[in-house]
Amino acid sequence: MTDPYVPRQSGPQSGSQPGPGAEAPRHLGASEATRLLCAGTYLDLAYRDAVIDELYVHEERLAAPSPGFDAARVLAHALRARRIELAWAAAVLLLWIVSVPLSSGLTLLYLLPVALLSLAPFVRGRAAQPPWYRRFAGWLLRWYGRFSAVLVAVMLLATVFEGGGSGGSAGSSYGYSGSSPDLSDNPLLLFLPTDLFGQNMIAAQSLHAWIALALPFVLAWAVGAQHGQVAKVLTTELSRDRFPDAAADPAERAEGGRFQRLRHRIRTEQHGPLVMYRAADPFCGAGTPYRTWSLSVELRPRKDAVPDGAGAADGGPVPLDNDAVLQRIIPLVAALREPSAHGSPQAAAAVRDRLRALEIDECVFLPVAGLPSRAAAPYGPDGFAAHRARAVEEGGETRRHFLRVRVGGWGEGIVTTVFVRVHTQGGMLMLEVAPHVLWPVRALYREADRIAHRYRHNNPFGKAVWALAQTPRSAGRAVTTLWRGFVSAWSLLTGGHGGALPDGPAASVRELGSDGDASLFQEMDVTRYLKSIQDRVASGVRSALYEAGYQTDEFEQRIVNVTDGGVFIESAQGAIGIGDHNTISSNGGLGGAGGTASGTAAKPAGPAPAKPADASR
């Protein structure tokens, strides 16, 4: 048996340093998530078009943050996959067009079976268990299409053998003998449109019939060759062994000034600490919000102690700004990289916990509105430093400063990001924590290796049967592919996107290729990451308050309730019921005292985003 594949640890980015014994950083362009998303562009036509539309056609849109993957490399493979698809679609359509005059129009007999077999999947629907009437309608169309195809094949064979057996005897037309049956009276024609036949079918030469009979097999060869080329790309260029070598990737070497220019911009924008956003979706690219919460406490001086390093003249608490609180949080969160004591350095170095590659940086969110051009975005170090210096204390509405903590697990298939914002105003401290989770890529993309391996190692007969089964829908797919390519090219030529005002990202390539189908192990890891990070954030805020000379009792009481998903209520009289199906009764005491409440508490389930908890007074 071969050893199971274990993804390598993803190293930190943005200047973060891994813990002792952690693996060396790995470029995000070679991550497993990047590889699977690139494979998805060959398997999913809708996803490929969405990637090209977002990153290539709409040149005015800035790239969304790309945690754990490289959007530029995904775009490179999306463009290459479309070129391959367009070339084969044009070849299939050309075969149909050329076959019509060569067969004297006999290949048009396939239109009815092709239309029925192409329509059957849409009638049935994409649901796993569609209604019975849709299943029956799809089944009826599918079998009527197959029966029609068999009738066309029988009729063409009859034409070939009748014409070849007559030897051109007298009284026949194009080799038909006088004793041969009149095809216009053949009952088989009742199942096919009669206007497609006429005298052309009766007078057709055997060569025309042979060409018509050969068309499905030639189309099947084209379908099989296309699928074989895609399978070869998936098993060679996108294999786990070769994919990390980006310099040898043919998609990266694609020529074209537009692609090269956009690739450079995407790689400048996607991993920078400055986030240019759309007002409608500021966290685009970070994933799904996961139990966002906020908390506010009064800054009350402690009466029993003088704060550490107090500089106030009257011995009171020192001024506490936002940056001081964040600087107290950072070392506590960074300590999560350190493995626990294992008795020996060798045992500690063997720990593979993903928290060892935890990344910490600071980011500033800026609205893209008002930017004169995409190239004018201040992504340089000086621009970020200037915005960071102003944003960390101003507490503005549009320009916001966050501490960003990220953990990438499962080959960057699960990315957990926690945004932390601290603000002091009016003698109060506000703490905002916004966790976001990028869930695994779609199951189809994760099965790309198995799909390609199974096809390439199938026997020739199995490949031929598969190709013949896909042939009836090849014409419809070819027309659809060429139409989509035309629409994209038309939008590129006439949309004026290159000279438009810059805009924020409308979609994230990573989010488009993800679903919420996470395993129990993955959900457990996300919960562990979030609890670990949030506890350290709370400890950092508490330490900052205590060292500055402020009371921490109120903060400690509220943080316990909020981080567990509850809502803190400072005082209440009577019985209180929270959740569904509550039963509340009162014993008649003053103010409702002595009441009891029972019920089933509401509990958030799975990765669904929960409503923010508010613990303000």
Side-chain angles (χ1 to χ4, degrees):
M1 295 179 61
T2 58
D3 293 334
Y5 169 70
V6 179
R8 295 180 57 189
Q9 295 271 10
S10 298
Q13 304 291 328
S14 305
S16 309
Q17 296 298 325
E23 295 186 15
R26 186 180 182 184
H27 193 272
L28 293 178
S31 67
E32 183 70 2
T34 307
R35 189 181 74 88
L36 296 180
L37 291 174
C38 290
T41 61
Y42 294 89
L43 301 176
D44 190 345
L45 179 62
Y47 176 67
R48 176 170 70 240
D49 289 346
V51 170
I52 294 174
D53 183 72
E54 176 67 21
L55 299 179
Y56 190 78
V57 175
H58 287 276
E59 188 178 356
E60 79 280 7
R61 294 178 184 170
L62 284 81
S66 306
F69 80 104
D70 183 9
R73 198 165 183 188
V74 178
L75 174 62
H77 278 275
L79 293 172
R80 184 164 180 255
R82 187 173 70 172
R83 289 194 297 269
I84 294 174
E85 188 88 8
L86 288 174
W88 283 108
V92 168
L93 197 60
L94 183 63
L95 286 174
W96 275 97
I97 295 174
V98 171
S99 68
V100 173
L102 292 180
S103 66
S104 187
L106 292 180
T107 53
L108 297 177
L109 297 174
Y110 293 115
L111 292 181
L112 177 62
V114 166
L116 294 175
L117 292 173
S118 300
L119 189 61
F122 295 98
V123 173
R124 187 184 187 276
R126 296 181 177 271
Q129 289 294 333
W132 68 268
Y133 55 88
R134 294 182 69 96
R135 293 199 304 269
F136 176 75
W139 175 84
L140 187 63
L141 288 175
R142 186 167 59 253
W143 280 102
Y144 185 67
R146 292 171 179 172
F147 186 55
S148 301
V150 172
L151 292 179
V152 171
V154 170
M155 198 160 298
L156 291 173
L157 286 173
T159 303
V160 169
F161 288 111
E162 289 292 341
S166 64
S169 59
S172 65
S173 176
Y174 290 94
Y176 282 93
S177 62
S179 60
S180 62
D182 187 1
L183 292 179
S184 61
D185 297 330
N186 196 318
L188 295 175
L189 298 181
L190 296 176
F191 296 91
L192 297 170
T194 57
D195 58 337
L196 294 179
F197 289 89
Q199 295 301 319
N200 287 336
M201 177 112 186
I202 301 175
Q205 299 182 22
S206 297
L207 178 61
H208 297 162
W210 276 116
I211 293 174
L213 285 171
L215 177 63
F217 298 96
V218 177
L219 292 174
W221 170 84
V223 171
Q226 177 186 355
H227 195 70
Q229 183 179 4
V230 172
K232 183 179 179 181
V233 171
L234 296 177
T235 55
T236 55
E237 299 164 12
L238 295 182
S239 64
R240 290 190 176 101
D241 296 331
R242 290 183 53 180
F243 186 73
D245 187 6
D249 192 344
E252 286 283 332
R253 301 195 301 267
E255 298 180 358
R258 184 184 184 88
F259 168 69
Q260 298 296 337
R261 181 177 68 254
L262 291 176
R263 181 178 65 173
H264 175 72
R265 288 184 177 178
I266 291 170
R267 286 180 172 158
T268 300
E269 299 164 356
Q270 64 180 354
H271 294 139
L274 192 68
V275 180
M276 306 295 296
Y277 69 91
R278 248 187 203 189
D281 190 8
F283 288 101
C284 178
T288 304
Y290 194 91
R291 299 174 185 173
T292 302
W293 57 275
S294 60
L295 180 146
S296 62
V297 293
E298 192 83 27
L299 294 176
R300 295 189 178 96
R302 291 203 333 266
K303 299 179 181 179
D304 58 341
V306 178
D308 298 339
D314 56 357
V318 298
L320 186 65
D321 57 18
N322 305 337
D323 190 60
V325 179
L326 292 176
Q327 296 306 317
R328 193 66 186 86
I329 293 174
I330 290 175
L332 294 177
V333 175
L336 291 173
R337 300 172 181 154
E338 301 293 334
S340 301
H342 284 71
S344 67
Q346 293 79 9
V351 175
R352 293 177 57 86
D353 194 300
R354 296 293 176 179
L355 288 173
R356 301 200 65 183
L358 177 142
E359 304 173 17
I360 307 172
D361 66 351
E362 298 179 49
C363 60
V364 175
F365 283 69
L366 281 180
V368 73
L371 197 66
S373 65
R374 185 174 178 179
Y379 281 105
D382 295 338
F384 170 74
H387 282 287
R388 191 262 177 200
R390 293 193 296 267
V392 69
E393 299 294 341
E394 70 182 10
E397 293 178 339
T398 57
R399 180 170 58 185
R400 301 198 178 199
H401 173 271
F402 286 92
L403 180 68
R404 182 169 56 186
V405 185
R406 193 185 80 88
V407 182
W410 298 87
E412 301 295 337
I414 293 285
V415 180
T416 306
T417 307
V418 181
F419 296 91
V420 181
R421 184 171 184 252
V422 178
H423 183 58
T424 54
Q425 176 71 23
M428 299 190 69
L429 181 142
M430 278 72 72
L431 173 63
E432 300 173 356
V433 179
H436 286 72
V437 179
L438 280 171
W439 298 104
V441 300
R442 296 179 183 177
L444 175 64
Y445 310 166
R446 300 197 301 268
E447 292 294 318
D449 294 330
R450 295 181 181 273
I451 294 173
H453 184 274
R454 182 170 58 248
Y455 179 82
R456 296 198 72 188
H457 289 78
N458 196 2
N459 57 75
F461 179 75
K463 293 180 180 179
V465 171
W466 181 90
L468 283 173
Q470 299 296 319
T471 297
R473 292 193 291 270
S474 62
R477 284 198 298 264
V479 173
T480 303
T481 300
L482 292 174
W483 173 252
R484 287 178 179 236
F486 171 77
V487 171
S488 179
W490 184 259
S491 177
L492 191 66
L493 292 173
T494 63
H497 303 293
L501 288 175
D503 195 6
S508 165
V509 171
R510 178 67 167 81
E511 293 176 0
L512 290 173
S514 304
D515 56 27
D517 187 17
S519 68
L520 181 59
F521 280 175
Q522 292 170 335
E523 292 185 10
M524 291 169 63
D525 285 344
V526 168
T527 302
R528 180 169 62 90
Y529 299 152
L530 291 179
K531 284 186 175 295
S532 301
I533 295 171
Q534 290 179 145
D535 286 350
R536 289 299 173 90
V537 169
S539 297
V541 175
R542 178 192 175 282
S543 298
L545 290 174
Y546 186 85
E547 294 172 1
Y550 294 97
Q551 297 180 12
T552 61
D553 295 343
E554 181 183 6
F555 176 80
E556 293 172 356
Q557 187 176 16
R558 294 186 177 184
I559 199 68
V560 171
N561 291 274
V562 174
T563 54
D564 287 340
V567 179
F568 175 76
I569 302 175
E570 185 171 1
S571 63
Q573 293 181 346
I576 299 175
I578 299 177
D580 299 330
H581 311 296
N582 296 296
T583 302
I584 302 176
S585 61
S586 175
N587 295 333
L590 294 176
T596 61
S598 63
T600 303
K603 180 181 180 181
K611 189 175 181 179
D614 187 4
S616 58
R617 295 184 60 187

